[in-house]
């Protein structure tokens, strides 16, 4: 099986004032195409930092990141942005919808940016699929948290990414709503065959994936098959 992500000897630190804080050290793992993968660990263990590096949002101090066949640690900011736009989808804890756009516009924007003539039609189909077929014209502020995250899911899958990164996608939702969002995420993922990487501190959610990487204090404790 082909690897879609390959991480070698990754190190990342932050400097605040005169102090250097090493957040990730000696990280090695890879993810196969179409695999579903969870990164778990306590708060502050470096999960979000690791996801940002894997997805090309941020750069490491040292180490190598191969994403979709490209060594992204050698790319410029612009080159990484281009790769993200073409191949990567994101779902965030705080939804990150554009507040001045309707649900439909939020979903259609990534498609319109690619000059996709069917942007609105595809957007409608996706909103239908996430159960929001009656909410096209609602603004994010007129939607509940769970509904906003469903719009964000529709947006994330709209461009048919090769790999989707979700950082605590249920972190701002109550338990029941969170479960529904996860069911939907897994269903959309199954249909599209996208590689899925979920960051979570919820072991129940992590166990719905095929493999779990456990992070602690910026180091990989173990990787387990579910
Ligand atoms: P997690 O997502 O597992 O909660 P993070 O990756 O957000 O962990 O953070 C890991 C560590 O890095 C924490 O100690 C956090 O305070 C620190 N950190 C994260 N982002 C920054 C930043 N931009 N500047 C300085 N320290 C940061
Ligand atoms: Mg985090």
């Amino acid at each position: 099986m082909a690897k879609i992500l390959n991480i070698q000897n990754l190190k990342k630190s932050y400097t605040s004032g005169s102090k250097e804080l090493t957040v990730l050290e000696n990280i090695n793992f890879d993810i196969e195409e179409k695999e579903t993968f969870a990164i778990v660990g306590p708060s502050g263990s470096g999960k979000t930092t690791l996801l940002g590096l894997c997805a090309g949002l941020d750069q490491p101090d040292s180490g190598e990141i191969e994403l979709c066949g490209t060594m992204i640690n050698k790319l410029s900011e612009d080159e990484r942005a281009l790769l993200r736009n073409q191949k990567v989808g994101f779902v965030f804890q705080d939804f990150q919808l554009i507040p001045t756009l309707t649900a439909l516009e939020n979903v259609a924007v990534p498609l319109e940016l690619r000059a996709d003539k069917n942007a609105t039609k595809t957007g409608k189909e996706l909103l239908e699929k996430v159960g929001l077929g009656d909410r096209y014209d609602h603004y994010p502020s007129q939607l509940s948290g769970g509904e906003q995250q469903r719009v964000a899911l529709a947006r994330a899958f709209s461009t048919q990414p090769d790999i989707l990164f979700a950082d605590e996608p249920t972190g701002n939702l109550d338990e029941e709503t969170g479960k529904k969002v996860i069911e939907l995420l897994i269903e959309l993922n199954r249909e599209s065959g996208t590689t899925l990487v979920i960051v979570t501190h919820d072991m129940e959610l992590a166990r719905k994936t095929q493999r779990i990487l456990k992070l602690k204090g910026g180091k990989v404790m173990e990787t387990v098959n579910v």
Side-chain angles (χ1 to χ4, degrees):
M1 281 272 273
K3 310 279 183 219
I4 192 159
L5 182 71
N6 188 2
I7 302 291
Q8 297 279 337
N9 287 320
L10 208 61
K11 181 177 183 247
K12 177 72 180 176
S13 55
Y14 291 111
T15 22
S16 59
S18 58
K19 279 196 179 151
E20 193 189 66
L21 174 74
T22 300
V23 177
L24 292 171
E25 204 168 20
N26 193 27
I27 307 283
N28 294 281
F29 67 97
D30 48 47
I31 298 181
E32 310 262 339
E33 264 174 23
K34 299 191 189 298
E35 192 174 9
T36 57
F37 193 88
I39 298 170
V40 302
S43 179
S45 58
K47 303 184 297 296
T48 294
T49 304
L50 179 56
L51 202 74
L53 293 171
C54 292
L57 290 167
D58 197 6
Q59 275 186 307
D61 298 356
S62 58
E64 295 184 336
I65 305 159
E66 187 181 355
L67 177 67
C68 304
T70 306
M71 300 296 291
I72 61 169
N73 48 294
K74 297 197 176 119
L75 299 183
S76 69
E77 190 91 24
D78 286 352
E79 289 168 329
R80 278 186 284 126
L82 189 65
L83 182 84
R84 286 199 305 273
N85 289 340
Q86 289 172 341
K87 314 226 165 175
V88 181
F90 292 97
V91 176
F92 301 96
Q93 180 171 349
D94 57 357
F95 326 132
Q96 299 207 10
L97 298 177
I98 300 170
T100 53
L101 299 183
T102 65
L104 180 56
E105 288 164 348
N106 266 282
V107 178
V109 155
L111 294 167
E112 277 161 0
L113 288 174
R114 301 166 169 226
D116 185 329
K117 289 196 184 75
N118 296 316
T120 302
K121 183 169 170 276
T122 307
K124 282 181 177 172
E125 284 167 6
L126 276 161
L127 280 177
E128 201 71 56
K129 197 174 258 183
V130 300
L132 295 173
D134 53 351
R135 302 298 183 97
Y136 295 160
D137 298 327
H138 285 225
Y139 288 91
S141 63
Q142 298 171 319
L143 298 169
S144 70
E147 288 163 350
Q148 288 184 58
Q149 195 62 306
R150 276 146 62 191
V151 175
L153 288 182
R155 177 181 60 182
F157 282 96
S158 69
T159 55
Q160 300 180 292
D162 293 348
I163 184 164
L164 186 95
F165 293 97
D167 192 355
E168 311 248 18
T170 62
N172 278 4
L173 304 174
D174 63 71
E175 202 179 324
E176 203 182 313
T177 308
K179 279 204 172 115
K180 285 189 187 137
V181 163
I182 289 307
E183 277 168 23
L184 202 51
L185 172 58
I186 287 171
E187 187 190 320
L188 289 167
N189 190 65
R190 201 179 289 132
E191 281 176 22
S192 62
T194 305
T195 310
L196 179 64
V197 186
I198 305 182
V199 158
T200 180
H201 54 248
D202 178 353
M203 273 311 285
E204 198 187 330
L205 165 54
R207 282 196 204 95
K208 292 184 196 291
T209 67
Q210 294 168 329
R211 210 146 54 97
I212 304 176
L213 180 145
K214 294 185 180 173
L215 207 58
K216 196 176 176 188
K219 295 197 172 93
V220 178
M221 291 291 106
E222 57 175 346
T223 313
V224 290
N225 292 312
V226 177

